[in-house]
Amino acid sequence: MNQIENMHVGEVEKAFVLWDMGNCPIPDGHDPLTVVAKIQMAVEKSGHVRRNGQISITAIGSKLTEIPGEDVMSRLSSFEISLKHSHLYIHDLDEWADANPPPSTMMIIDDHERIGWIASNLSDFEDAGYRILLAYPQRTTPLPRSFSKQWDWDALVTDEQETTTTTTSLVYSQGRYNDEHPLACEVCFVAVKSFEDFTAHLKSVEHEYGEWDRFACKNGVDRTIRENLPFGRSSESPTSEHYGCLVDLIGRAGVLADALNLVKSLPFEADALVLGALLGACKIHEDAELGNEVGKQLIGLQPEHYVALSTLKALGNNWAEAEEMRKVMVEAGIRKSLHIVSCLNVFKKKM
Ligand SMILES: [Zn+2]
């Protein structure tokens, strides 16, 4: 008995659509809702998939705030389409397949070259019983292997012959990101619930550095050389927020010494943002000694970081030191109310 025969009477397949909006954008002058309806119709016409409650769509891109732009993103989000900042998506397909055994349908909307890269993965899915649908701008020859169905993206979207119906509840949310957090950034491992939070993240320094970090890892950029460091989109001087993100990234990437060197070479006095990032790196690397030094400086600025320091002390199993830290914290609280003492010189001297 094959997999389709195994389905119960009345059961319908689920479908997952992965749509790269950078490579297959909504053509100028087309309404996003209409384009979504065209995609759904293509999926429905391919087989056993029905619209209501069965098709989930994730739209991805690496510059979503520009393509398709915030207005269109907002509309797509209001149709319950998941939005994801992402460069690669093969594991999204794997993840969906894990939760949705065949027979079911996956549609990939992307350019010819990128689909070519994952063609062998798609063949494996097809061999396992998934129906694979593809849409791409067919300016080149079709892909060699004949998947279940292929469309020319522009023709699919602009086909005036097709009758479309539109509703405001079009798609079915499903999947790790979609269930609770339909808006996610894969580069920074950030998932949020509100559209406003999502766009704020995509425009944040944190995200900018996440992207740079990805680039640096991929291209073997030496992050300890100042000239290699990015300092924001504008020509403004880098702020402590920029440096804080950088220290955090370098620390998390596993090079604590480089993070420390960067802090030592700052063109201004390290503030709580930078020191906090360095302390976080110490904690990740379980370097209680350095963390202790950083923490003493930090406490002068932010007594609330005492909790993080307690953890470090526990790591070092040095409870006498912990008590000393508590005293430092108390003193710092008093000092802070009078004057925040600059700590960098002491900091540099000790290390
Ligand atoms: Zn991000």
Side-chain angles (χ1 to χ4, degrees), residues 185 188 201 207:
C185 172
C188 307
H201 169 75
H207 178 72

Short mmCIF file of all heavy atoms in Angstrom, two decimals, residues 185 188 201 207, ligand 1:
data_model
loop_
_atom_site.label_atom_id
_atom_site.label_comp_id
_atom_site.label_asym_id
_atom_site.label_seq_id
_atom_site.Cartn_x
_atom_site.Cartn_y
_atom_site.Cartn_z
N CYS A 185 14.71 35.99 13.06
CA CYS A 185 15.98 36.25 12.39
C CYS A 185 16.88 35.06 12.66
O CYS A 185 17.24 34.80 13.81
CB CYS A 185 16.64 37.53 12.90
SG CYS A 185 18.30 37.72 12.24
N CYS A 188 20.65 35.94 13.92
CA CYS A 188 20.88 36.31 15.33
C CYS A 188 20.17 35.37 16.30
O CYS A 188 20.21 35.59 17.50
CB CYS A 188 20.39 37.74 15.57
SG CYS A 188 21.05 38.96 14.45
N HIS A 201 14.32 44.93 15.21
CA HIS A 201 15.51 44.06 15.25
C HIS A 201 16.31 44.16 13.95
O HIS A 201 17.54 44.28 13.97
CB HIS A 201 15.12 42.61 15.51
CG HIS A 201 16.28 41.69 15.30
ND1 HIS A 201 17.32 41.57 16.21
CD2 HIS A 201 16.64 40.90 14.24
CE1 HIS A 201 18.24 40.75 15.74
NE2 HIS A 201 17.85 40.33 14.54
N HIS A 207 21.67 43.36 15.04
CA HIS A 207 21.47 42.61 13.80
C HIS A 207 22.58 42.92 12.79
O HIS A 207 23.09 42.03 12.12
CB HIS A 207 20.11 42.96 13.20
CG HIS A 207 19.86 42.28 11.89
ND1 HIS A 207 19.60 40.94 11.80
CD2 HIS A 207 19.86 42.75 10.62
CE1 HIS A 207 19.44 40.61 10.52
NE2 HIS A 207 19.60 41.69 9.79
ZN ZN B 1 19.21 39.53 13.22
#
